[in-house]
C-alpha cells in the first residue's frame, strides 16, 4: 500500500489532536484539583461523589439544627436563671412581711413590689426566641399568657400545652429542647404566677397577720425546688447536645475525607503526568516536522 503525503499529514494531525486533548484534560485536573470535572470522565467516581456529598450536606444541616438546639436551651436556661433571682427576691419580701411589726401600709408597699415581680415572671414565661415562644409547648407561635393576671383570671392561653418541642439532630435522632413551662408558670393552683397572686392578696388584706404570710415560705421553697428541677433538666439536655455536636463534628470530618479521597486529584502525580505528556508532545511535533516536508518536490515524489 502506498503511503501518501496526505495520509502522513492526517495521521500526524490526529495524534497531535489527541495529545492536545490529553494535555488539556491533565491541565484541567491541575487547575480544579479534581480527578473528574464532568460525569463522563469517570461515572463511578461521579456516582460515589454524589453519595458522599449528599451525606456531607445532611451532616451540615444537622449541625445547623444543633445551633438551633443550643440557642433554645441557652435562652431557656438564662430565662430560668432570671426567674430564680426574682424568686429569691420574693422570699426576701415574704420574710420581711411576715413580722407583725409591719403596718398594713408597709405590707401594701411590699404587695406593690410583689405584683411587679409577678408581672415580670409573666414576661419571662412569654420569652421568645426569634418568632417562637419557649414555654408554650408545641404551640410556639402563641404566648403562654395572653396578658397580666387580673382578679380571678390568670389569662393563660388555652392553646398552650406541655408537649415536647423536638429537633432532629441525626438520622432518626431528635432532642427535645423545651421544659414544661405551662405547669410551672401557669398552673391555676400550684403555678408560680397563681401562688404570687395569692401572696399579693394576703398582703393587701388588713385582717391577715404575719403568721398567714409565713405559711407561704414553704410554698416558695417548693417553687424554688421545681425551678431547680427545670434547670437541672436543661443542664442535662445541654450536656447531651454537646455530645451530639461532637459526634456530628466527627461525622463531618469522615464525610469530608471520603469525598476528598474520591474526588481530589493527586497534585504531584498530575504535575508528573503533565510534564511527561508535554515531553511526548514536543517529541511528536519534532518527528512530525521531519517526516512532513512542506515542499512541492516532496509532494511530487
Amino acid at each position: 500500500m502506498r503511503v501518501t503525503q496526505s495520509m502522513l499529514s492526517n495521521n500526524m494531525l490526529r495524534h497531535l489532536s489527541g495529545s492536545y486533548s490529553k494535555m488539556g484534560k491533565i491541565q484541567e485536573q491541575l487547575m480544579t484539583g479534581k480527578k473528574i470535572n464532568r460525569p463522563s470522565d469517570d461515572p463511578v467516581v461521579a456516582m460515589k461523589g454524589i453519595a458522599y456529598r449528599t451525606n456531607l450536606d445532611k451532616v451540615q444541616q444537622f449541625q445547623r439544627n444543633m445551633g438551633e438546639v443550643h440557642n433554645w436551651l441557652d435562652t431557656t436556661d438564662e430565662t430560668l436563671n432570671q426567674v430564680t433571682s426574682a424568686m429569691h427576691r420574693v422570699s426576701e419580701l415574704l420574710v420581711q412581711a411576715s413580722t407583725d411589726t409591719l403596718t398594713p401600709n408597709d405590707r401594701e408597699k411590699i404587695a406593690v413590689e410583689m405584683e411587679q415581680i409577678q408581672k415580670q415572671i409573666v414576661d419571662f414565661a412569654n420569652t421568645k426566641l426569634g418568632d417562637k415562644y419557649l414555654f408554650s409547648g408545641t404551640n410556639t407561635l402563641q404566648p403562654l399568657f395572653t396578658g397580666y393576671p387580673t382578679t380571678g383570671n390568670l389569662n393563660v392561653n388555652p392553646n398552650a400545652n406541655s408537649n415536647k418541642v423536638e429537633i432532629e439532630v441525626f438520622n432518626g435522632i431528635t432532642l427535645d429542647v423545651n421544659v414544661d413551662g405551662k405547669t410551672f408558670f401557669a398552673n391555676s393552683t400550684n403555678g408560680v404566677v397563681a401562688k404570687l397572686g395569692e401572696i399579693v392578696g394576703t398582703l393587701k388584706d388588713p385582717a391577715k397577720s404575719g403568721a398567714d404570710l409565713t405559711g407561704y415560705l414553704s410554698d416558695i421553697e417548693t417553687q424554688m425546688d421545681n425551678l431547680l428541677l427545670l434547670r437541672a433538666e436543661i443542664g442535662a439536655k445541654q450536656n447531651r447536645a454537646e455530645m451530639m455536636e461532637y459526634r456530628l463534628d466527627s461525622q463531618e470530618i469522615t464525610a469530608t475525607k471520603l469525598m476528598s479521597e474520591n474526588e481530589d486529584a493527586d497534585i504531584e502525580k498530575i504535575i508528573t503526568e503533565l510534564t511527561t505528556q508535554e515531553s511526548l508532545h514536543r517529541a511528536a511535533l519534532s518527528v512530525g516536522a521531519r517526516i512532513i516536508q512542506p515542499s512541492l518536490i516532496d509532494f511530487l515524489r
Side-chain angles (χ1 to χ4, degrees), residues 52 60 66 118 161 283:
Y52 293 145
Q60 291 174 340
M66 284 303 305
Q118 183 193 41
N161 57 65

Side-chain angles (χ1 to χ4, degrees), residues 99-265:
T99 59
D100 287 327
T101 57
L102 293 183
T103 65
N105 188 43
D106 292 331
R107 287 201 176 106
E108 179 70 27
K109 294 176 182 177
I110 293 176
V112 171
E113 183 175 352
M114 197 77 75
E115 282 181 322
Q116 293 303 313
I117 294 175
Q118 183 193 41
K119 290 180 179 179
Q120 186 61 44
I121 289 179
V122 168
D123 291 337
F124 289 146
N126 286 342
T127 298
K128 294 177 68 176
L129 177 63
D131 59 346
K132 297 178 181 179
Y133 291 92
L134 299 182
F135 298 105
S136 297
T138 53
N139 185 36
T140 58
L141 298 181
Q142 295 182 15
L144 179 58
F145 291 94
T146 57
Y148 294 122
T150 58
T151 303
N153 186 5
L154 290 178
N155 285 322
V156 179
N157 188 337
N159 296 320
N161 57 65
S162 300
N163 298 335
K164 295 180 179 180
V165 176
E166 297 183 332
I167 298 177
E168 187 176 13
V169 294
F170 206 70
N171 292 324
I173 299 176
T174 59
L175 293 180
D176 60 285
V177 294
N178 65 323
V179 293
D180 186 2
K182 183 178 180 181
T183 299
F184 176 73
F185 289 108
N187 187 282
S188 59
T189 55
N190 297 319
V192 64
V193 174
K195 190 60 63 178
L196 289 177
E198 292 180 22
I199 295 173
V200 170
T202 302
L203 285 168
K204 290 183 176 181
D205 189 349
K208 300 296 183 179
S209 64
D212 297 313
L213 292 168
T214 302
Y216 287 113
L217 287 173
S218 61
D219 294 333
I220 295 302
E221 289 180 2
T222 300
Q223 295 295 336
M224 290 292 290
D225 290 340
N226 294 336
L227 186 56
L228 288 175
L229 288 175
L230 292 180
R231 298 194 66 183
E233 180 182 346
I234 288 294
K237 291 177 180 179
Q238 287 174 321
N239 290 336
R240 186 185 177 194
E242 289 176 0
M243 289 188 290
M244 182 55 67
E245 189 171 32
Y246 175 78
R247 181 180 178 184
L248 286 173
D249 289 342
S250 299
Q251 288 288 326
E252 183 186 26
I253 292 173
T254 301
T256 303
K257 180 180 178 182
L258 289 173
M259 189 174 68
S260 176
E261 290 175 349
N262 181 67
E263 297 179 1
D264 291 352

Side-chain angles (χ1 to χ4, degrees), residues 62-132:
F62 289 140
Q63 288 178 319
R64 289 190 288 271
N65 290 355
M66 284 303 305
E68 180 72 10
V69 169
H70 283 300
N71 287 340
W72 195 294
L73 293 176
D74 291 346
T75 304
T76 301
D77 185 52
E78 177 58 28
T79 301
L80 294 179
N81 181 52
Q82 293 174 338
V83 174
T84 301
S85 299
M87 293 302 293
H88 281 306
R89 180 56 181 166
V90 168
S91 181
E92 293 173 0
L93 291 174
L94 262 180
V95 172
Q96 181 181 348
S98 61
T99 59
D100 287 327
T101 57
L102 293 183
T103 65
N105 188 43
D106 292 331
R107 287 201 176 106
E108 179 70 27
K109 294 176 182 177
I110 293 176
V112 171
E113 183 175 352
M114 197 77 75
E115 282 181 322
Q116 293 303 313
I117 294 175
Q118 183 193 41
K119 290 180 179 179
Q120 186 61 44
I121 289 179
V122 168
D123 291 337
F124 289 146
N126 286 342
T127 298
K128 294 177 68 176
L129 177 63
D131 59 346
K132 297 178 181 179

